[in-house]
């Protein structure tokens, strides 16, 4: 799944002067992490906190593109994709407020309302199922909102953890060199020689279902990409003059690593991780489709699609069609934004 | 070259051994196959006897040692479910997967290369951008959902193509293949297309980048100066130069194609290795799971080696570098 | 194969033309929901294999659609003492290699059963009680058991007979002993799969057995009974439900088993198709933890196991709206259950004598309050999600209903492979599962699910809730020793009523198995859910 993002790895180098932008990026990553954690815990964050986080996220994204906004939006598809992504993220963050029903609360479901076509009203006449219901009487629209939240948060959390591990391993390998590097990189190669879906499938078969378990599985299949990328960037950075200069000044290793090396490895990671979040969403949904993903009472988009699969051929298309459209929309918009980001942040094309 | 190959082989053996340990303990941690395989009418004593027959009464490290001992003699165990050698069982399912992956690769080249070359040629026009945007959709579409849509549209609504299964097979060189019968081929189109979609987007992107780069090269300028038609330049000169990286990447991707066939085969009930793997996971048929993963590692290693060799042969620069090293 | 496009164009116009093709009419293609793991009749005691076995290898005793016994290789049988049954075998039956069938083949078969290598589930369950076999003449067989064994003829319907002579063994020389019959030559499992040992007396011969792709059978021209209506039968494994029904609609197969419930309406409305359905011997139930204190995954009871209180069990049972589940989740294709075997089967009550518990949420809440749980408690319902028809959906529906009366219910769904291991390890305080009565009588579910667990006797083998009721055990044991059918049936009914009135288990519904087929063929539904090509008939 990673081949598409490989060119990215080497394409980006950052002018070490722009510390501010880098600092903002790091902060942005942290905020994204916080957001993801909030997605996953229902009602942990109050409405106001989530609003603040959303605003912060938008501001940080704008900061990342500062001065390149024009380039980023040079293609009409960028507008559409960004708007679509923003909308979907808002829907996911405020799923509790927007959904007419809590699809994870079995007490709110009524099987008497099962398999209703879009537009029907419920048994007691208090709400309309705009996108129909599944066989449990779960409102598909609410299911999509919550499913979106599960899919997004699972992949963002998994991506962030994998990135953190990858950064540590990659930088350590590049910095330490020699035998340690060789061993670490063999492990990375070993890991990458296996298709992610197979590894994740085996892990889930061993772990059983559960949100935490799927996050662990997704981290295990992803960290090696980051490790390899970071090592590549870090290697080329360590050969640059400013590192020599810093060494010449007698700065301690940790300051060189954290102050110079690390910030310069982050930007390519931003692009990779965008694409990787999309890939992870697809991977998660594939696993859920195969029956080894999230628990059935907390369906992600993939599980909603799988549940509706059997009904699709019998004309009750809405159960799996609409979640599928939502899945496509989120994955495609992330991929498109990632694509624009790559073009925008790629200095080779900027000149 | 030889040194390089030998070193790669040595690494591969190490990978195989590491894999064997990881896979064995990973797979043997899960559940108890006897619980699912044995008839519900069986008495507890029969359950115990069955466990003993499979060696589950032994401590896990003893089971591992006997597994390694047998594996060294080329025996990866017998399927609990089918009572046959796990390796020969998988090999009997392999042709179906290979021909599907191969047709998928062919589709992805047939779709991806023309689109990519055209997009590269019209890189800054709307056509090029539209194709690039389209390719994003190509790898955003979840494999299983596409498969379902294909079945819904082409098999159920339009009834143009069969929905599932393998169709008629014919024996070619000792392998049972569908690709050479009309019925079999019609069964293959939908799953192969589903499998091809993601790779087609990838090929499109590679071809576009290659074309853009090739168009800037001197030989294209000369060709243009000679007054060759644009079509001829694209088809002959550009295509020739971009095929090497595409073939390389696709070669590497054959492995992941086989892996992704797990999902496609499940949707289309295609009787290949992927479906066997899913079924084996569901019935905890440990020897088959372990053997499948070991065989996949070997396939990956072999593919990587072959790609390396071909690449060396195709690209003189690599060869020179390799010999110098 | 007729082109799907062609068929789709004008089904009505074609309908008259299809039966006119004699060759096509002689060929039957069936889409199966599951695939046998082997063609060896004694390798794996599991539904798909046993179903496949019946085409090739016949047993002494057969079973009809309602699982009543009927003569097959034995023409009659009777108990000749408390511990011995005599089977009178059919004359002039030959195996497909031409060797004649006699009582020695039965002895040879029973000798092979315990020793099938690498078998995941042996048939010793049915032959283990045999202590001796006598062959007074080639077509008479006397089988001795240590205990009274009223179910022996039933158990002789579970395994197919293979030929001693075809495998180079002189049947008359076999010395039967329950500990092994000496060093005899037996065919290997592989030999059945490649067809070389697939020599039986059945109505079909095996032409090919290809995993994942299908099995082809051809008519046995020398079959002792009425020859099969089909020259050739192709059995295709179409394990996913949607594609299976799509294959039928597209004309790729003539008959499918288990069409998905949500498609039945559409299939019924199509004049070129036929749908039949019949009640099965399988009950879907929820078992409760009667033993562990505290019970795992129960919260809000201060470590008490509330399920030990009969009022709580009753509340949980009447909180379930069985009719709603049948209607909404099962699409009307199931029957609400009041005990563990549907009416009409041996040992079950007559229709209406032991009806399903009526849904009454208010009374359920009152009962909970009375038992000391006015605010309910928390429980986790374990369920497989790929074993029974809509199993996880049924569990979710039950969870909805329990949550409504205050018993906050979580669902722990796992794939069958992990579910059964966890269930056997008593990880659930409540779990949903199903039981098909292989013998077709009440003793089967009672013995497995509700009898006090005893590993030595095999009683309570699947009683993971550890229900224990010595009074019921006594009646059941009595029944298992009673050879007289009428007396045994009454004892089984008494035992069942006793357990149901104790709310030992919560029966939900009996599965109804549907079949869908082209209108040119017909099939009689079977309680054992088998799809047998021999019984598929061209429609009148």
């Amino acid at each position: 799944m990673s081949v598409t993002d490989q060119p990215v790895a080497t394409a980006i180098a950052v002018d070490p002067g722009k510390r501010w932008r880098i600092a903002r990026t790091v902060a942005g990553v942290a905020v994204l992490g916080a957001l993801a954690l909030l997605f996953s815990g229902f009602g942990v964050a109050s409405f106001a906190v989530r609003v603040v986080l959303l605003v912060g996220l938008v501001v940080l994204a704008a900061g990342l593109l500062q001065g390149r906004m024009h380039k980023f939006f040079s293609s009409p598809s960028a507008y559409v994709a960004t708007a679509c992504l923003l909308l979907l993220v808002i829907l996911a963050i405020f799923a509790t407020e927007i959904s007419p029903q809590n699809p994870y609360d079995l007490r709110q479901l009524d099987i008497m309302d099962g398999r209703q076509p879009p537009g029907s009203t419920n048994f007691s006449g208090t709400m309309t199922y705009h996108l129909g219901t599944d066989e449990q009487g779960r409102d598909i629209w609410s299911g999509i909102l919550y499913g979106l939240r599960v899919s997004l948060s699972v992949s963002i959390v998994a991506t962030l953890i994998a990135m953190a591990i990858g950064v540590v391993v990659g930088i350590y390998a590049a910095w330490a060199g020699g035998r340690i590097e060789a061993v670490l990189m063999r492990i990375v190669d070993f890991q990458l020689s296996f298709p992610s879906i197979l590894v994740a499938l085996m892990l889930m078969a061993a772990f059983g279902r559960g949100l935490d378990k799927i996050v662990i599985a997704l981290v295990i299949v992803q960290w090696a990409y980051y490790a390899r990328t970071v090592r590549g960037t870090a290697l080329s950075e360590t050969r640059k003059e400013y590192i020599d200069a810093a060494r010449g000044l007698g700065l301690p290793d940790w300051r060189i690593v954290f102050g110079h090396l690390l910030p310069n490895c982050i930007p390519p990671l931003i692009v990779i991780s965008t694409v990787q979040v999309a890939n992870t969403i697809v991977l998660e949904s594939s696993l859920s489709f195969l029956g080894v993903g999230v628990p059935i009472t907390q369906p992600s988009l993939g599980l909603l699609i799988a549940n509706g699969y059997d009904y699709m051929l019998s004309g009750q298309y809405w159960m799996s069609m609409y979640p599928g459209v939502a899945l496509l929309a989120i994955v495609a918009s992330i991929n498109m934004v990632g694509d624009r980001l790559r073009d925008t942040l790629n200095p080779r094309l900027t000149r | 070259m030889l040194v390089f190959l030998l070193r790669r082989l040595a690494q591969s053996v190490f990978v195989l051994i590491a894999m064997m340990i990881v896979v064995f303990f990973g797979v043997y941690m899960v559940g108890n196959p006897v619980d699912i395989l044995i008839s519900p009418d069986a008495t507890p004593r029969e359950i115990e006897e069955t466990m003993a027959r499979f060696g589950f009464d032994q401590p896990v490290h003893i089971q591992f040692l006997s597994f390694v001992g047998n594996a060294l003699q080329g025996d990866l165990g017998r399927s609990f479910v089918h009572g046959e050698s796990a390796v020969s069982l998988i090999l009997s399912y392999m042709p179906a997967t290979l021909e599907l992956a191969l047709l998928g690769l062919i589709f992805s080249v047939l779709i991806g290369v023309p689109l990519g070359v055209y997009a590269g040629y019209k890189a800054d026009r709307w056509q090029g951008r539209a194709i690039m945007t389209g390719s994003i959709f190509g790898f955003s579409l979840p494999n299983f959902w596409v498969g379902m849509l294909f079945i819904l549209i082409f098999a159920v609504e339009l009834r143009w193509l069969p929905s599932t299964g393998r169709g008629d097979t014919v024996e070619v060189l000792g392998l049972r293949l569908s690709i050479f019968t009309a019925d079999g081929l019609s069964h293959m189109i939908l799953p192969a297309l589903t499998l091809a979609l993601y790779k087609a987007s990838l090929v499109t992107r590679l071809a576009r980048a290659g074309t853009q780069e090739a168009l800037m090269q001197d030989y294209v300028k000369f060709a243009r100066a000679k007054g060759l038609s644009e079509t001829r330049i694209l088809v002959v000169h550009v295509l020739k130069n971009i095929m090497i990286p595409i073939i390389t990447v696709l070669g590497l991707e054959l492995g992941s194609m086989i892996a992704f066939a797990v999902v496609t085969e499940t949707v289309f009930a295609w009787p290949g290795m992927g479906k066997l793997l899913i079924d084996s996971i569901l019935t905890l048929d440990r020897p088959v799971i372990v053997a499948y993963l070991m065989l996949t590692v070997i396939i990956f290693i072999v593919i990587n080696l072959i790609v390396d060799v071909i690449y060396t042969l195709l690209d003189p620069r690599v060869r020179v570098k390799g010999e110098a090293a | 194969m007729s082109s799907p496009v062609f068929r789709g164009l004008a089904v009505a116009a074609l309908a008259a033309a299809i039966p006119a093709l004699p060759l096509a009419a002689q060929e039957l293609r069936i889409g199966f929901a599951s695939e046998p793991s082997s063609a060896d009749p004694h390798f794996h005691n599991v539904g798909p294999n046993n179903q496949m076995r019946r085409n090739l290898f016949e047993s002494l005793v057969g079973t009809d659609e309602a699982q009543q016994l009927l003569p097959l290789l034995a023409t009659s049988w009777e108990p000749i003492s408390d511990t011995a049954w005599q089977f009178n075998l059919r004359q002039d039956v030959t195996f497909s290699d031409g060797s004649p069938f006699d009582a020695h083949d039965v002895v040879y078969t029973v000798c092979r059963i315990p020793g099938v290598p690498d078998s995941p589930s042996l048939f010793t369950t049915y032959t283990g009680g045999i202590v001796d076999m006598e062959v007074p003449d080639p077509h008479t067989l006397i089988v001795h058991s240590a205990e009274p064994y009223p179910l022996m003829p039933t158990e002789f319907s579970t395994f197919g007979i293979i030929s001693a002579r075809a495998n180079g063994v002189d049947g008359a020389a076999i010395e039967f002993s329950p500990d092994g019959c000496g060093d005899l030559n037996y065919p290997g499992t592989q030999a059945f799969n490649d067809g070389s040992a697939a020599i039986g007396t059945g109505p079909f011969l095996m032409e090919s057995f290809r995993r994942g792709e299908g099995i082809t059978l051809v008519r046995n021209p020398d079959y002792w009974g009425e020859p099969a209506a089909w020259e050739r039968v192709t059995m295709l494994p179409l394990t996913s439900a949607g594609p299976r029904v799509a294959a039928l609609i597209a004309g790729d197969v003539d008959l499918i088993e288990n069409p998905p419930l949500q498609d039945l309406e559409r299939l019924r409305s199509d004049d070129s198709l036929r749908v039949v359905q019949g009640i099965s011997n399988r009950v879907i139930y929820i078992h409760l933890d009667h033993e562990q204190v505290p019970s795992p995954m129960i919260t809000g009871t201060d470590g008490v196991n509330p399920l030990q209180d009969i009022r709580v069990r009753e509340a949980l049972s009447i909180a379930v709206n069985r009719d709603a589940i049948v209607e909404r989740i099962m699409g009307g294709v199931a029957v609400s259950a009041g005990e563990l075997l549907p009416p009409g089967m041996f040992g079950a009550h007559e229709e209406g004598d032991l009806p399903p518990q009526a849904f009454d949420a208010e009374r359920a809440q009152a009962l909970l309050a009375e038992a000391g749980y006015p605010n309910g408690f928390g429980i986790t319902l374990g369920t497989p999600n790929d074993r029974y028809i809509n199993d996880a959906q049924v569990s979710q529906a039950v969870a909805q209903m329990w949550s409504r009366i205050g018993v906050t219910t979580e669902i722990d769904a796992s794939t069958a492979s992990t579910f059964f291991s966890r269930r056997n390890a008593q990880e659930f305080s409540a779990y949903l599962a199903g039981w098909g009565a292989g013998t077709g009588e009440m003793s089967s579910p009672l013995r497995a699910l509700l009898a006090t667990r005893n590993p030595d006797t095999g009683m309570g083998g699947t009683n993971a809730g550890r229900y224990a009721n010595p009074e019921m055990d006594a009646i059941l044991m009595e029944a298992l020793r009673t050879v007289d059918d009428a007396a045994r049936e009454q004892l089984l009914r008494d035992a069942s009523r006793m357990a149901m009135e104790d709310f030992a288990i919560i029966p939900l519904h009996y599965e109804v198995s549907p079949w869908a087929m082209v209108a040119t063929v017909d099939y009689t539904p079977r309680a054992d859910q088998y799809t047998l090509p021999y019984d598929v008939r061209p429609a009148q």
Side-chain angles (χ1 to χ4, degrees), chain C residues 75-142:
Chain C
T75 50
S76 64
W77 49 89
E78 71 224 317
I80 52 172
S81 77
D82 264 2
T83 59
W85 282 82
Q86 175 173 323
F87 294 88
N88 303 309
L89 307 189
R90 196 175 292 278
Q91 311 268 345
D92 301 324
V93 175
T94 56
F95 285 96
S96 54
D97 71 334
S99 56
F101 158 76
D102 62 33
H104 298 300
D105 295 312
V106 184
V107 179
Y108 175 69
T109 299
V110 174
C111 284
R112 177 182 188 241
I113 281 174
V116 179
D118 299 321
S119 160
S121 182
L122 288 171
F123 283 77
T124 47
T125 318
Y126 311 119
T127 60
I130 298 173
V131 294
D132 197 16
M133 300 179 92
E134 276 178 67
V135 184
D137 71 80
H139 291 95
T140 308
L141 178 71
I142 297 172

Side-chain angles (χ1 to χ4, degrees), chain C residues 4 37 59 96 219 228 243 247 308 319 370 386 422 446 517 537:
Chain C
S37 58
S59 43
S96 54
R219 182 193 287 147
Q308 290 176 328
E370 199 182 307
D386 51 7
R422 295 178 61 196
L446 289 182
M517 62 208 83
R537 300 262 146 205

Side-chain angles (χ1 to χ4, degrees), chain B residues 13-85:
Chain B
V13 170
F14 174 75
V15 165
L16 257 181
I17 293 171
M19 200 59 213
M20 206 150 89
I21 297 172
V22 172
V23 166
F24 184 88
F25 285 98
V27 170
Y28 277 65
M29 263 172 11
V30 192
N32 177 358
V34 173
D35 282 336
I36 182 157
L37 291 175
I38 202 155
S39 156
D41 285 335
T43 61
R45 209 189 60 203
E46 284 172 323
I47 295 176
E48 262 169 44
E49 285 168 2
T50 309
M51 304 251 303
R53 200 154 50 234
F54 290 153
F56 299 158
D57 52 344
Q58 305 286 328
V60 81
H61 63 274
I62 302 281
Q63 292 186 44
F64 180 67
L65 287 180
S66 76
F67 166 75
V68 171
N70 291 332
L72 287 177
Q73 295 162 29
D75 175 13
L76 290 177
R78 297 171 87 81
S79 159
F80 297 157
V81 178
H82 301 279
E84 274 184 41
S85 143

Side-chain angles (χ1 to χ4, degrees), chain B residues 309-324:
Chain B
V309 171
I310 292 181
Y311 204 66
T312 322
L313 296 179
L314 281 179
D315 190 337
R317 281 171 302 177
V318 181
R319 192 162 59 216
V320 171
K321 216 161 62 183
E323 278 163 4

Side-chain angles (χ1 to χ4, degrees), chain A residues 54-65:
Chain A
L54 180 67
V55 172
L57 180 67
V58 172
V59 169
L60 284 160
L64 179 69
L65 291 170

Side-chain angles (χ1 to χ4, degrees), chain A residues 183-346:
Chain A
V183 169
L184 284 177
M185 286 306 114
R186 278 298 79 70
I187 296 175
V188 166
D189 286 348
F190 170 55
Q191 168 93 58
L192 288 180
S193 71
F194 261 99
S196 46
I197 185 140
L198 273 190
V199 178
L201 194 61
M202 299 315 302
L203 288 172
M204 290 310 288
F207 295 163
R209 281 161 177 255
L211 286 180
D212 47 345
K213 289 158 188 159
I214 197 160
V215 167
I216 297 173
L218 292 173
V219 167
I220 294 178
V221 300
Q222 285 193 86
W223 70 273
Y225 297 134
Y226 296 103
R228 191 169 65 179
T229 311
V230 170
R231 171 182 165 264
T233 326
L235 268 188
S236 69
E237 290 296 321
T238 44
R239 295 203 194 94
K240 289 196 177 150
E241 287 163 9
Y242 73 96
I243 297 280
D244 284 342
R247 276 189 174 140
L249 285 174
L251 289 180
D253 280 5
W254 66 267
R255 271 200 65 180
I256 302 177
V257 169
F258 286 96
H260 302 269
L261 210 48
L262 184 60
N264 280 294
C265 295
I266 296 283
L269 286 183
I270 299 275
V271 179
I272 294 195
S273 58
T274 327
V275 182
Q276 218 35 51
V277 166
N279 283 341
T280 314
I281 292 177
V282 173
L283 189 56
E284 180 274 321
S285 61
S286 303
L287 290 174
S288 294
F289 177 79
L290 291 174
V292 292
V294 296
I296 48 163
T297 45
Q298 295 182 18
S300 66
L301 292 175
L303 191 57
L304 282 175
I305 297 173
N307 281 345
Y309 179 38
D310 285 340
Y311 300 94
M312 196 159 174
L313 301 177
S314 11
Q316 293 164 346
Y317 63 91
W318 60 87
M319 290 181 221
S320 109
M321 183 67 85
Y322 294 127
V325 171
L327 180 60
L328 175 61
I330 185 81
V331 175
S333 58
I334 294 178
N335 271 332
M336 273 189 213
V337 168
D339 203 48
R340 291 306 307 155
L341 271 183
R342 173 169 52 205
D343 287 355
T344 311
L345 299 180
N346 188 341

Side-chain angles (χ1 to χ4, degrees), chain B residues 30-47 49-50 53-54 78-84 89 92-93 96 151 155-169 171 176 183 187 266-269 271 275 279 281-284, chain C residues 1 4-5 7-8 11 35-38 43-46 114 116-126 189-190 193 210-213 237-240 243-244 246-247 249-250 252 266 386 415-418 420-421 424 435 438 444 448 453-455 457-458 461-462:
Chain B
V30 192
N32 177 358
V34 173
D35 282 336
I36 182 157
L37 291 175
I38 202 155
S39 156
D41 285 335
T43 61
R45 209 189 60 203
E46 284 172 323
I47 295 176
E49 285 168 2
T50 309
R53 200 154 50 234
F54 290 153
R78 297 171 87 81
S79 159
F80 297 157
V81 178
H82 301 279
E84 274 184 41
L89 192 66
S92 73
Y93 278 83
I151 293 183
V156 176
E157 292 301 324
L158 299 173
R159 299 189 184 181
W160 287 354
L161 293 165
S163 54
T164 54
R166 209 179 161 192
D168 295 345
T169 54
E171 197 143 328
R176 298 209 67 87
D183 181 54
H187 279 82
T266 307
V267 175
F268 287 93
K275 196 164 176 306
D279 291 346
I281 289 177
L282 291 181
T283 50
L284 294 180
Chain C
M1 271 180 209
V5 186
R7 273 206 143 203
V11 173
E35 197 181 6
S37 58
S38 170
F43 174 67
H44 192 177
N45 178 16
V46 66
V116 179
D118 299 321
S119 160
S121 182
L122 288 171
F123 283 77
T124 47
T125 318
Y126 311 119
T189 293
Q190 178 60 37
N193 295 345
R210 284 202 204 100
R211 291 213 177 84
E213 290 174 44
L238 300 172
T239 44
S240 1
R244 191 162 62 246
I249 294 172
D252 294 339
R266 189 171 61 136
D386 51 7
T415 177
S417 55
T418 37
F420 288 112
S421 293
N424 294 352
W435 184 267
S444 162
R453 189 173 164 85
N454 181 344
T457 59
T462 313

